[in-house]
Amino acid sequence: MDKKGIIFDLDGTLTDSGEGIINCAWYALKAFNLPLPDKEAMRVFVGPPLHDTFVRFGVPKDRADEAVAIYRSRYVPI
């Protein structure tokens, strides 16, 4: 069998990207004028699909794509 690549699960396994994820999610929630939970409560953004988690935090389901776009506009890997 030919092996063509290796896949790594980085979030929380090899790196701790939680701070960046949380800060960007907080930025997106702020853009929607939603209540801003404390950063510890937002740790649930690390791992699950962003769309689902934004809806859980009050973003209307039909605007979840917009929330993800705002999040991604802030989250720029270096």
Side-chain angles (χ1 to χ4, degrees):
M1 172 189 324
D2 276 343
K3 294 184 172 103
K4 302 209 184 235
I6 299 172
I7 298 173
F8 292 99
D9 177 11
L10 296 177
D11 287 340
T13 304
L14 298 176
T15 64
D16 184 8
S17 55
E19 183 178 0
I21 292 169
I22 291 166
N23 287 337
C24 294
W26 195 83
Y27 176 77
L29 291 175
K30 188 175 178 182
F32 278 84
N33 295 314
L34 291 168
L36 299 172
D38 64 63
K39 301 268 175 121
E40 186 59 35
M42 294 185 64
R43 289 207 64 79
V44 297
F45 272 93
V46 180
L50 288 172
H51 289 84
D52 298 342
T53 311
F54 277 121
V55 170
R56 177 177 169 186
F57 277 81
V59 173
K61 194 171 190 172
D62 63 334
R63 295 187 68 195
D65 286 340
E66 182 182 347
V68 172
I70 293 168
Y71 167 97
R72 290 183 177 155
S73 76
R74 182 77 171 201
Y75 194 90
V76 180
I78 297 174

